[in-house]
Amino acid sequence: MAAVNGRELHVATDPDDASDGSSAAWGYISSGESRWPATAAVTVALLIYVLLPDRLTPGPRYLLPVMELVLLIPLVIANPSRLTPESTNLRALSIALIALINAANAVSLVLLVRFLLRGGRANGRELVLAGVGIWVTQVLVWSLWYWELDRGGPVARCSVDHGPPDFLFPQMENPAVTNRRWSPRFVDYLYLSLTNSTAFSPTDTMPLSARAKLLMGGQALVSLTTIAIVGARAVNILT
């Protein structure tokens, strides 16, 4: 038993066993999930930020990456392989890390749009390539938001009494398509973020809660703006 966000969570001993008699009110219980895919996403976002041109990085180049590493390292130490019941403080630390990456990328995007709308052809190709990196970071950071917020986060999803889902995945509607109890993993949220960034709307996974709809709507608007401005500038530079 563990406490997350002030709630007592009863963690399943064998979530993949369909005959264990335990069931969640909304979807199946998630087994302990590896932190490494999310950690890899954070690492890629950090590398992209470091490689951005100086004009797109507010303040000292390595200040924000160092701050993000300070937040990331305790999370990895606390759960080096699989996510296990953690304190509210650790979840707050995880959300703070995602918010910091999101804020840094948002500032870089604003600076990029400013330079591209000014016109001028100097270092135009460099800025377009930076726009691609910023867009990729958007995909990563929104996948982290979805992963951390759905049903209260990856730890809460291990509980029998986790909250209602924020997203409706196809496997939740059609459990017969899997041969075992299915629950979303980080790659599912990464795919959700990628498709929403390219289609600007839900594809196979539908948002259910108000916060999920706001997040997906915000991501679609930001992605559309980024692609439109960077794409238009790229055409102008390359022609």
Side-chain angles (χ1 to χ4, degrees):
M1 183 182 297
V4 176
N5 293 337
R7 295 174 51 202
E8 294 265 326
L9 299 182
H10 303 274
V11 180
T13 56
D14 188 6
D16 291 327
D17 184 2
S19 62
D20 66 357
S22 61
S23 61
W26 298 86
Y28 292 133
I29 305 163
S30 173
S31 58
E33 184 176 352
S34 172
R35 181 181 289 279
W36 291 116
T39 301
V42 171
T43 303
V44 171
L46 290 178
L47 290 175
I48 291 175
Y49 182 85
V50 170
L51 294 174
L52 289 177
D54 289 337
R55 67 182 72 184
L56 301 183
T57 55
R61 171 179 293 276
Y62 293 100
L63 177 60
L64 280 173
V66 168
M67 292 173 61
E68 291 165 5
L69 284 175
V70 168
L71 295 175
L72 176 63
I73 290 173
L75 294 172
V76 175
I77 293 175
N79 298 115
S81 56
R82 286 193 172 272
L83 289 163
T84 56
E86 58 186 356
S87 69
T88 304
N89 291 336
L90 279 180
R91 182 163 190 261
L93 199 64
S94 180
I95 292 176
L97 173 61
I98 300 171
L100 184 58
I101 297 172
N102 201 164
N105 195 61
V107 172
S108 295
L109 175 60
V110 170
L111 293 174
L112 173 68
V113 171
R114 175 189 172 194
F115 281 114
L116 290 178
L117 292 181
R118 277 183 172 183
R121 304 180 68 89
N123 296 322
R125 294 174 186 270
E126 179 185 52
L127 291 177
V128 169
L129 290 175
V132 174
I134 291 173
W135 184 85
V136 171
T137 302
Q138 288 176 14
V139 173
L140 295 174
V141 76
W142 254 281
S143 67
L144 289 166
W145 277 125
Y146 299 150
W147 177 74
E148 186 60 59
L149 295 180
D150 188 23
R151 307 187 204 181
V155 174
R157 287 194 292 272
C158 297
S159 166
V160 175
D161 54 354
H162 61 65
D166 293 278
F167 300 99
L168 182 64
F169 290 91
Q171 293 90 335
M172 293 165 60
E173 292 186 286
N174 304 284
V177 300
T178 62
N179 58 5
R180 60 192 303 175
R181 287 188 167 182
W182 182 90
S183 57
R185 294 289 187 267
F186 179 76
V187 66
D188 299 295
Y189 298 103
L190 180 60
Y191 177 76
L192 167 63
S193 179
L194 177 62
T195 55
N196 192 48
S197 289
T198 52
F200 315 122
S201 64
T203 53
D204 65 336
T205 301
M206 303 302 294
L208 299 179
S209 66
R211 64 181 180 181
K213 293 176 182 179
L214 288 173
L215 277 174
M216 290 191 70
Q219 181 187 16
L221 286 174
V222 172
S223 180
L224 177 61
T225 301
T226 305
I227 291 175
I229 294 177
V230 174
R233 188 71 182 117
V235 170
N236 186 41
I237 291 171
L238 299 175
T239 56

